[in-house]
Amino acid sequence: MDRTRTTVEFDVPPHHAARPALEARFTALLDAHDPPVRIALLVGNVLRPAPGDLHRLGRLAVLARRTGHQVVLRGVGPRLRLLLDLTGLTDALPEG
């Protein structure tokens, strides 16, 4: 049973954005909402995904889960979808 009531969107910039600032903004977003909240990571800007992008998305998902939130991806392009499929991360980073 899905107890998530609210969906909050979080824009994920291309991989060249500074990771510490991104994680700080994401942590502030998590702290601003009582769990459980569905966090929709907007990944439409990730056009040429690299392994670092998967690492960054995975880190955000772990941060969310540790605080009782759920993460889904929105705007997944064909290249990112293929990379998620090839690495077996589609269950950990589902679309929604």
Side-chain angles (χ1 to χ4, degrees):
M1 181 172 130
D2 187 7
R3 296 177 15 232
T4 306
R5 302 181 252 62
T6 306
T7 298
V8 177
E9 294 182 339
F10 183 79
D11 189 36
V12 178
H15 66 274
H16 53 77
R19 190 179 102 192
L22 180 74
E23 287 184 12
R25 283 188 352 202
F26 190 70
T27 300
L29 175 79
L30 297 175
D31 291 343
H33 297 280
D34 292 328
V37 170
R38 178 188 310 245
I39 310 294
L41 299 178
L42 306 178
V43 294
N45 291 327
V46 183
L47 302 176
R48 293 181 171 223
D53 292 306
L54 292 181
H55 181 263
R56 188 169 49 144
L57 292 173
R59 259 188 84 65
L60 296 178
V62 167
L63 287 170
R65 286 189 192 109
R66 284 182 182 163
T67 57
H69 299 292
Q70 176 190 14
V71 166
V72 295
L73 302 180
R74 285 204 184 142
V76 178
R79 289 182 180 191
L80 180 55
R81 185 174 294 115
L82 178 62
L83 196 54
L84 290 166
D85 286 341
L86 290 173
T87 57
L89 292 173
T90 52
D91 289 337
L93 296 166
E95 293 184 58

